[in-house]
Amino acid sequence: MSNSSISSRQKEIEKSTGDLYASIWDNFWTESHNDTSSWEDFALASMVEWEPLPVAEDFFENKRCLDAGTGMGRAARYFAQQGANEVIALDVSPDCLRNAKVRNSDLGDKIKYVESSVLNIPYPDRSFDFVHCDGVIHHTVDPLRAFSELV
């Protein structure tokens, strides 16, 4: 979306933030909670009960969705399960992407995992029908640019 590059200092800051959140998500769901049904309940609750989306039940069917700053992949999971044609789970942290991929392994190839910053989304403008970004922009070194990229 944006053609401008990210400075090496900005990349360092993003890497540190990504590493921090990867360690949080790795430890968030302990071995005792690692079964698929518990993860399923948590992922669904986080999208429907905690953050109700004001959309029709079939809204995501046949949509191309971006989950920008996917973290542990709960929103990407929800979009895939709701019938999205394509779900891109984007995160600056390879460890967050690894974590999301493991948690959502039962969905096969319904989700594509992309390592990138929300400051430089590697897709042309208007590539997505729906963009989700929760708890990410305020962690960037340039929130206005992040918002602009997402819009």
Side-chain angles (χ1 to χ4, degrees), residues 5-23:
S5 62
I6 301 171
S7 75
S8 60
R9 178 67 182 134
Q10 288 171 325
K11 287 180 184 178
E12 287 176 35
I13 293 168
E14 282 194 336
K15 182 178 178 340
S16 295
T17 303
D19 289 348
L20 170 65
Y21 275 88
S23 69

Side-chain angles (χ1 to χ4, degrees), residues 105-132:
S105 61
D106 61 307
L107 296 177
D109 62 355
K110 290 184 178 184
I111 302 171
K112 180 180 177 188
Y113 299 89
V114 176
E115 183 181 340
S116 189
S117 169
V118 296
L119 297 177
N120 196 17
I121 298 172
Y123 293 91
D125 289 348
R126 300 174 194 227
S127 292
F128 299 96
D129 300 305
F130 185 82
V131 174
H132 174 266

